[in-house]
Amino acid sequence: QVQLVESGGGLVQPGGSLRLSCAGSNIIFRSYILNWYRQAPGKQRELVATITTDGTTNYADSVKGRFTISRENAKNTAYLQMNNLKPDDTAVYYCNANAKWLVTRDYWGQGTQVTVSS
């Protein structure tokens, strides 16, 4: 059974940093596009960052220049480095792995809470 498990969330002051991790089991990350999403209370789930199988990255405008997505395929792990955090970054952050073969494969983690507050 495929599992994605996020970790690294917590409470941080504005301007601070956190690094989120996403550990996959029973999945070969190398074959998947990896994404980080977030969802704040009362808001729609938002795509924050994407990294393709060849390492190409893309970011939501709201986090460009502050967040960095990366992957270590040998460890089956993805990361989201978050710097200069703002209160509007407060949300539950979710890891997602996606691939398209004959059918789409799409997996989600349980989420980790990030709270940015002074």
Side-chain angles (χ1 to χ4, degrees):
Q1 184 175 354
V2 171
Q3 289 189 345
L4 304 180
V5 180
E6 301 97 334
S7 61
L11 175 64
V12 65
Q13 294 188 130
S17 297
L18 287 172
R19 189 177 82 156
L20 307 183
S21 298
C22 172
S25 60
N26 295 319
I27 181 173
I28 301 173
F29 265 14
R30 186 178 301 275
S31 301
Y32 288 81
I33 295 171
L34 302 175
N35 307 289
W36 286 96
Y37 288 79
R38 68 186 181 188
Q39 189 166 30
K43 293 189 175 182
Q44 191 173 26
R45 187 171 298 187
E46 172 191 22
L47 178 61
V48 174
T50 295
I51 184 165
T52 68
T53 55
D54 69 357
T56 301
T57 59
N58 197 22
Y59 301 91
D61 288 342
S62 58
V63 307
K64 284 180 180 176
R66 300 187 297 119
F67 289 13
T68 303
I69 187 171
S70 61
R71 62 195 299 160
E72 292 189 64
N73 290 329
K75 295 183 177 181
N76 247 26
T77 302
Y79 304 95
L80 185 68
Q81 178 67 47
M82 305 185 295
N83 298 324
N84 192 23
L85 283 160
K86 304 177 185 299
D88 283 349
D89 296 320
T90 295
V92 178
Y93 284 72
Y94 297 91
C95 179
N96 167 260
N98 181 268
K100 297 185 186 298
W101 297 297
L102 292 177
V103 297
T104 296
R105 302 297 183 188
D106 194 62
Y107 302 103
W108 292 85
Q110 83 290 344
T112 186
Q113 176 71 49
V114 172
T115 302
V116 185
S117 176
S118 59

